[in-house]
Amino acid sequence: MEKKILLIALILGLVSIVLGAFGAHALKKVLTTEQLSTFEVGVRYQIYHAIFLLFISSSHFLNSREKMIICSLTLLGIVLFSGSIYLLSTTGITGIKTKFIGPLTPVGGLF
């Protein structure tokens, strides 16, 4: 169980590093300062959650079931929070209709 959570944390961390670099270099040319700042918030919280999952995977005061529940809720929160922020901040270049996505951000924050 710990290895699975560790792998998830490492993948999330890697993806957030890649997205952060992509935002700093490629998106800087096509997004407004406000949109880029919003995108960076999604990246920052994704890396925070990756670090959190690293801590959870190495903790000894939680059993495997509790770790899996925490990992699942954290993953759901990342997808809803950071994912919705990524989509909302890049609406201008993706053309995706994001009106329905806005309410998902605070729900993801709760997880």
Side-chain angles (χ1 to χ4, degrees), residues 55-56 58-64 66-67 70:
F55 170 74
I56 293 300
S58 64
S59 68
H60 298 291
F61 58 90
L62 297 169
N63 63 41
S64 293
E66 292 167 338
K67 287 180 182 183
I70 291 169

Side-chain angles (χ1 to χ4, degrees), residues 40-96:
E40 289 171 353
V41 168
V43 171
R44 185 173 42 234
Y45 277 90
Q46 184 172 332
I47 197 87
Y48 292 162
H49 284 85
I51 294 167
F52 173 71
L53 287 176
L54 284 173
F55 170 74
I56 293 300
S57 72
S58 64
S59 68
H60 298 291
F61 58 90
L62 297 169
N63 63 41
S64 293
R65 183 175 180 275
E66 292 167 338
K67 287 180 182 183
M68 199 59 223
I69 290 170
I70 291 169
C71 181
S72 298
L73 292 174
T74 302
L75 278 175
L76 181 60
I78 289 170
V79 169
L80 292 177
F81 184 80
S82 292
S84 65
I85 286 180
Y86 298 146
L87 290 174
L88 289 168
S89 63
T90 59
T91 298
I93 58 174
T94 61
I96 297 173

